[in-house]
Amino acid sequence: MNSKYLIFVLLLIVSCKESKKTEPLLVQQKKNTNSKENLNTPKEEKLKKDSKIVEIGYQEKLESLPHFELDSIDETEYKRIPLSTSFKKTIIESNNDFFYIQGANKKYEFKKYRDYKGEESWSGFEYLGCCTSLNLVAIRESSTAEHLGFSENELLDTSNDFQYKIISLGDGSGSVPELSPDGKFMVYFQNPEYESGTLSIVILKINDKIDPTRFLTEYKSSFSKSGDSIEEIKWASNRVFYIKTFKSVGFNENGQELRDYFYYKGEI
């Protein structure tokens, strides 16, 4: 065999072997990179984007907001403004154990909460009312798991099926929000509980529904350790609201709680 031809064949064999050793590694690295970028990351982003549950009112967020102060007013000024309710109870479809809310694309079924003060109690939901101007339904979820009570409110938007969960700062839920006269803000509160003496008041800003995840956003907050609890809250104008607070001062001979009342206004 010609020696030049033999050298050419040997070089060709070596070249093919090196190609087979390196190419699969490069191809595999490329496949792994594409898999991470095109499958995992977009999937996580898609799940986050597709989620229709928005949580509002975490303690850390509320503490970082601009705060407002409460100023004392007298009972006469407080009573000048009539009490109103933004979320009014309407007739809804229900039976013995469930109630139903029609959303934008589906009908929601909620098991009714039952509190028998004993073993037969069970966790469930309560219908609190509807704010027709915003297409929001207020619902309270309550649990009696292991004889420990816990509740939290949520607002269901029946125009797009978004759910806005208002985070509880204790065991009980906050109040049902009240809408300002111009429809640009809502206010809600959470009274002190046995483990915490803090009264919390939160202002939510109402935004455009073009981005439903930003429809309700935390705007301002106020915290008080005075020991007061709120009995009523109402808007006096588009930027001013009044609250009626009380302190428990004991019980009478019939076991009825005795209260001292105080009145305040907040301006945002």
Side-chain angles (χ1 to χ4, degrees):
M1 181 182 292
N2 186 298
S3 60
K4 291 184 178 181
Y5 178 78
L6 180 58
I7 292 172
F8 173 79
V9 171
L10 290 173
L11 289 174
L12 182 61
I13 292 173
V14 171
S15 175
C16 289
K17 284 183 178 181
E18 289 179 351
S19 176
K20 287 180 181 180
K21 284 174 61 179
T22 56
E23 185 179 2
L25 179 60
L26 294 173
V27 171
Q28 185 63 38
Q29 289 175 342
K30 186 177 181 181
K31 286 181 179 178
N32 287 341
T33 302
N34 288 340
S35 175
K36 184 176 180 180
E37 293 178 354
N38 298 331
L39 296 177
N40 296 336
T41 303
K43 182 179 180 181
E44 292 173 1
E45 292 176 356
K46 184 176 185 299
L47 289 173
K48 184 176 180 180
K49 181 179 179 181
D50 289 347
S51 175
K52 290 194 171 188
I53 297 177
V54 179
E55 295 179 327
I56 297 171
Y58 279 106
Q59 182 77 38
E60 297 80 2
K61 175 65 176 180
L62 299 183
E63 290 176 347
S64 69
L65 297 174
H67 294 345
F68 58 87
E69 301 296 328
L70 299 177
D71 298 318
S72 295
I73 58 174
D74 58 35
E75 183 179 4
T76 302
E77 182 177 356
Y78 179 83
K79 288 185 174 180
R80 285 193 305 104
I81 306 298
L83 185 66
S84 61
T85 303
S86 304
F87 286 82
K88 296 178 171 58
K89 286 199 172 183
T90 57
I91 298 175
I92 59 173
E93 181 183 352
S94 66
N95 55 38
N96 289 335
D97 293 328
F98 296 90
F99 66 87
Y100 306 87
I101 302 295
Q102 180 61 55
N105 299 303
K106 61 181 178 179
K107 181 184 289 187
Y108 293 85
E109 179 184 79
F110 298 92
K111 185 176 182 180
K112 294 179 181 178
Y113 171 62
R114 300 293 189 192
D115 184 9
Y116 295 112
K117 308 298 182 184
E119 295 289 341
E120 295 182 354
S121 300
W122 66 72
S123 302
F125 299 83
E126 301 171 75
Y127 168 66
L128 303 177
C130 175
C131 180
T132 55
S133 62
L134 297 178
N135 296 117
L136 293 177
V137 175
I139 297 165
R140 177 172 295 140
E141 181 179 6
S142 298
S143 171
T144 54
E146 300 178 358
H147 302 282
L148 298 175
F150 177 81
S151 59
E152 197 165 75
N153 292 343
E154 74 172 60
L155 305 178
L156 171 62
D157 192 331
T158 57
S159 69
N160 57 21
D161 294 327
F162 268 76
Q163 300 172 57
Y164 302 92
K165 291 185 176 293
I166 301 177
I167 302 301
S168 172
L169 302 180
D171 291 337
S173 65
S175 68
V176 178
E178 288 296 331
L179 183 65
S180 64
D182 61 1
K184 294 183 178 181
F185 297 94
M186 286 198 291
V187 59
Y188 72 89
F189 63 87
Q190 182 145 9
N191 280 329
E193 296 182 6
Y194 60 92
E195 291 183 350
S196 170
T198 303
L199 168 65
S200 307
I201 306 173
V202 182
I203 304 296
L204 299 178
K205 188 175 185 298
I206 299 172
N207 305 296
D208 199 295
K209 288 190 181 183
I210 293 176
D211 180 4
T213 64
R214 300 278 301 165
F215 173 53
L216 299 178
T217 54
E218 302 92 335
Y219 183 69
K220 287 187 177 181
S221 64
S222 178
F223 301 96
S224 171
K225 292 185 177 296
S226 65
D228 289 8
S229 295
I230 294 180
E231 184 173 285
E232 292 178 352
I233 191 165
K234 55 188 177 183
W235 287 92
S237 67
N238 292 333
R239 296 295 181 273
V240 176
F241 62 89
Y242 289 170
I243 61 174
K244 177 182 180 180
T245 73
F246 67 91
K247 277 189 176 73
S248 179
V249 293
F251 298 87
N252 62 19
E253 58 186 9
N254 297 319
Q256 296 175 320
E257 184 182 20
L258 301 176
R259 296 177 173 182
D260 283 342
Y261 287 98
F262 309 91
Y263 304 88
Y264 301 92
K265 72 174 180 179
E267 186 170 359
I268 62 170

